[in-house]
Amino acid sequence: MLKNKGVDSLGDKRDSVELIVLVIIGINMLFLMFFLLYFMFNVSKEITAGLIAFIGAIIGGFITYLGVKVTLDHRDKEVFLSSATEKLQGLEKLNANYNSYLNKAAAHEQAFFRENGISYMFVKEFFKEFYNQLIGDTELIYEVMSYDELRILEFHKKTFKVLIYKEALSNEDVKAGISKVRDVNKMFAVSKNNLDEKYYKLRSKKY
């Protein structure tokens, strides 16, 4: 697992210390206000008590808000880190599976335009192979990709399905299909990089 319990435990202690310091500062501020209002400005006890109670409520509410925020942020961090390893392994597998299609895409693209469309059947078979790979990896893709990424992938799959069942492919069809192959590969690579960045950002973030 990527998770480091020693570092997380140290972070929890640091968060608790920071909250305690805030509480102490708040209490000291209330005593200071009481001293200034009552002893230096001769404000009546009733007014002083009312002002202190009002400001104390504000300070207490702010400290409560910070405490809740720390708790929620820490929970989100724990949830993410608990699944980061599995997602990273899944994305690495997807990148390994689909990187080989980049070279194939370039080869089919060059052959198609060099032979002036004669090899469109081979290009169709390549698109079919890529489409079937996406279908076969559906479960893994749904486990590691975000909702927005999944919507884009579904659009790409529909494009491949249309190309596969076309009787003949035009130059525009081949360009579109090859572009989609590259887009899918780029999406997997970007998703893995984003996961790495988020992991290290959360590990170093102070709550």
Side-chain angles (χ1 to χ4, degrees), residues 3-135:
K3 186 176 177 181
N4 188 316
K5 293 183 179 179
V7 174
D8 291 340
S9 177
L10 181 61
D12 293 341
K13 293 179 180 178
R14 181 179 57 204
D15 297 338
S16 299
V17 170
E18 290 177 351
L19 284 175
I20 292 173
V21 169
L22 286 174
V23 172
I24 293 174
I25 291 174
I27 293 174
N28 287 333
M29 287 179 62
L30 292 177
F31 278 115
L32 178 61
M33 288 185 60
F34 177 80
F35 176 80
L36 291 174
L37 292 172
Y38 185 70
F39 291 102
M40 296 189 66
F41 296 102
N42 296 319
V43 178
S44 67
K45 288 184 178 181
E46 291 77 11
I47 296 177
T48 300
L51 289 173
I52 290 177
F54 175 72
I55 297 174
I58 295 176
I59 295 175
F62 178 70
I63 294 175
T64 301
Y65 163 77
L66 289 179
V68 172
K69 185 177 185 302
V70 167
T71 301
L72 293 177
D73 287 346
H74 184 72
R75 184 198 62 184
D76 291 342
K77 174 183 175 181
E78 290 298 308
V79 170
F80 172 79
L81 292 178
S82 66
S83 61
T85 301
E86 290 76 11
K87 286 186 176 181
L88 181 59
Q89 291 174 343
L91 287 168
E92 287 177 344
K93 182 177 180 181
L94 289 175
N95 278 278
N97 288 346
Y98 288 85
N99 279 340
S100 61
Y101 286 103
L102 290 176
N103 293 331
K104 292 181 181 180
H108 281 293
E109 184 179 35
Q110 293 174 6
F112 182 85
F113 291 109
R114 183 176 62 247
E115 299 171 12
N116 196 26
I118 296 176
S119 62
Y120 76 88
M121 287 299 298
F122 296 104
V123 180
K124 283 182 64 175
E125 285 300 315
F126 170 64
F127 290 158
K128 183 177 181 180
E129 177 187 355
F130 190 80
Y131 173 76
N132 288 335
Q133 180 76 51
L134 287 173
I135 297 299

Side-chain angles (χ1 to χ4, degrees), residues 147-162:
Y147 176 76
D148 290 337
E149 291 169 334
L150 290 174
R151 291 185 62 185
I152 296 173
L153 281 173
E154 287 300 318
F155 173 75
H156 290 339
K157 285 196 289 187
K158 291 178 181 178
T159 299
F160 285 117
K161 192 171 184 180
V162 170

